[in-house]
Structure formats: C-alpha cells, structure tokens
Amino acid sequence: MYVTRKADYAVRCVLHLSKYPEQVVSVNDIAKAMHIPKSFLAKILQRLVRKNIVMSIRGVNGGFQLSRNPKDINLLEVIEAIQGVTAANICALDSKKCRLSSTCSVHPVWVGIRKEIEKRLREWSFSRLAEAKR
Amino acid sequence: MYVTRKADYAVRCVLHLSKYPEQVVSVNDIAKAMHIPKSFLAKILQRLVRKNIVMSIRGVNGGFQLSRNPKDINLLEVIEAIQGVTAANICALDSKKCRLSSTCSVHPVWVGIRKEIEKRLREWSFSRLAEAKR
DNA sequence: CTAAAACAGGACATAATCAGTCCTGTATAG
DNA sequence: CTATACAGGACTGATTATGTCCTGTTTTAG
C-alpha cells in the first residue's frame, strides 16, 4: 500500500472539514489551511463528492462540507475513494497477477500485511482523528 | 510501502537460492524457475551481490549462491536492498517532507503502520520461508 | 438582472519511476 | 582459445504522479 499525494491531500481535507462540521468551507480556505495546491484540491474534492463523502454547494458563498458524520468516515474509505484498492504487493491484491501465488510462501505474508493495514486504517474514524492530540 | 516488481523478483530469487543452499545456480535457471525476465534478473542479482546477500561465480559453470545462511537473511533486508527504505506515506519516512507532520493527527497512524510492516517483514527469514508450506 | 464568486469537468503538461532490453567487456573452465 | 556466464552502463517505452488551465454552470448579493 502506497499513499499518493492525492490521497494524502484528501485525508487532510476531510480532516479539516471534520473540524468544522456543518460549516461550508471553500476550496481556497481548505487549500490554505492544509497547504494543498488549490486547483489540485478542487479535483480531489470532485471525487470525494462523487463518492458521497463530501457535498458541494455551488455559487457565491459556496464550498464543501461533509455529507456524513465524521464518526462514520474512516481513513481507509477516503484513501480508497481516491486511489482505489491497493496493497503493498500486487499479489496480495489479485493473485491472478502473479503466476506463483498459489505456491509461493511469501504470498501469505503480503496478504497478512494487507489485512493488518486495512484494519488499522478502518479503525480510525475522522471524529477520532479530529479529537486526537499530538 | 509499495513493493516494486524488482524487489518482488529479488525475493523470489533469494527464496529459490535458499532452496538449493551451497549450490551454484545460473541466472538462466533462476529466471526460468521463478518466471523472471532473464536480463532484468541479472541486474537485480548485481545489486544483491553488492549488498552481500548473494555471491557470484564467474566463468563457465558460474552462477550465484547465497553469501550467508538463509536463516540470517530476512524479507525486509532483501526488499530494502533493492528499493531502499520505503513507507506507505512519505510523512512516515521523513517528517521534513510534510509541513504538517508535527501537528497532523494522521502522522502517528502512518508511523505505526510502517513499524508494523517492518516488524513483520523482519520476522520472516528465508529459512522460515523456504520451509513454509502452502 | 447582472456581475462576481465559487464549483464542475475536460484537456493538457511535465517529470519521475517502472520495467525492462541491449551491448560491450571480463573472467574462467575445459 | 573458445564457449559460457557474470558485470556494468546506456537506452527505451509505458505508465503514473502531480499538477495547471480553460471553459462552462450555478447561485447570490446588490
């Protein structure tokens, strides 16, 4: 599993929105707060809208807000919304991609790692993240 | 952490050599057994030699063999020999790369995942892998 | 009703990385 | 001395990552 900048920005973005629930925040504001190139973020938000994680309000004073309670959105969901399902090794994603997977003793290691990562990412809801202290 | 084909091939290759300890195996034989493009594998082996995981014997009847006992080589070492140190998210690799890492509540999640992956990969020596049944 | 603010979506650009290939050179067994 | 096998550098083509830009649409304030 490798997290692209795009997915990383998406996470930051949702995290920011989680801190201002019910409020409408513009792309510009999110971009400045989270250090994300504005037009790139706009693209990312389009995708989050389609995936029903965020909703958009057009026109003057428009912007974005979460379409669900942050407790019902987790890290895994946001990352997969942007980059699709991934794994550290393609063999853990699709054993057909690997001619050896049925006999290879490394295969179960990758599958185990994938499950562990997904479990951890699923455990972190954005309400939990927003509350977390550093 | 994303495993490239190169690193994956390296793992297969070392695994194959672990099954024939003390024997000298040619690039050709490894490539055929493990379904790896031959000239690509040759490059990978060069790197494994420099990293002292494998040793080469030149000339007629030459080839490669492990330079250490398979129990002293683990998955993490082979992968890092090929692709260097990696992590699922660059922020877990080098917090300087991320302007937010000092305040971002997601950062510890990535660091935790990285540690977990490295731990698991380190636990698998090639003697253990070679013995593992599927 | 119109101008300005803000999102939507497609096209484009650019750089890096991935996944190999190829060619020349060197060592060595027989 | 020749065939076999590794060493290493250069090169290539495809894909992906990371954005930017431009045009269009929606909406609201005045």
Side-chain angles (χ1 to χ4, degrees), chain B residues 54-73:
Chain B
V54 144
M55 51 185 285
S56 73
I57 293 96
R58 295 175 75 151
V60 177
N61 301 324
F64 297 86
Q65 64 185 124
L66 295 184
S67 56
R68 279 180 268 155
N69 190 303
K71 77 175 177 6
D72 296 322
I73 310 173

Side-chain angles (χ1 to χ4, degrees), chain A residues 32-77:
Chain A
K32 278 181 186 161
M34 291 306 189
H35 298 102
I36 307 172
K38 183 184 164 183
S39 53
F40 197 33
L41 178 59
K43 288 274 150 228
I44 293 164
L45 276 159
Q46 281 176 27
R47 196 154 180 89
L48 292 176
V49 168
R50 273 185 240 118
K51 293 286 180 173
N52 199 34
I53 291 169
V54 144
M55 50 185 284
S56 73
I57 294 96
R58 295 176 74 151
V60 178
N61 300 324
F64 297 85
Q65 64 185 125
L66 296 183
S67 56
R68 279 181 267 154
N69 191 303
K71 77 175 177 11
D72 297 321
I73 309 173
N74 62 59
L75 271 181
L76 183 64
E77 186 185 359

Side-chain angles (χ1 to χ4, degrees), chain A residues 9 12-17 19-20 23-39 41-42 45 60-65, chain B residues 100:
Chain A
Y9 290 157
R12 292 190 202 179
C13 171
V14 173
L15 182 58
H16 187 70
L17 291 176
K19 286 177 181 163
Y20 305 94
Q23 285 185 40
V24 175
V25 189
S26 70
V27 176
N28 229 327
D29 290 352
I30 303 172
K32 278 181 186 161
M34 291 306 189
H35 298 102
I36 307 172
K38 183 184 164 183
S39 53
L41 178 59
L45 276 159
V60 178
N61 300 324
F64 297 85
Q65 64 185 125
Chain B
L100 303 173

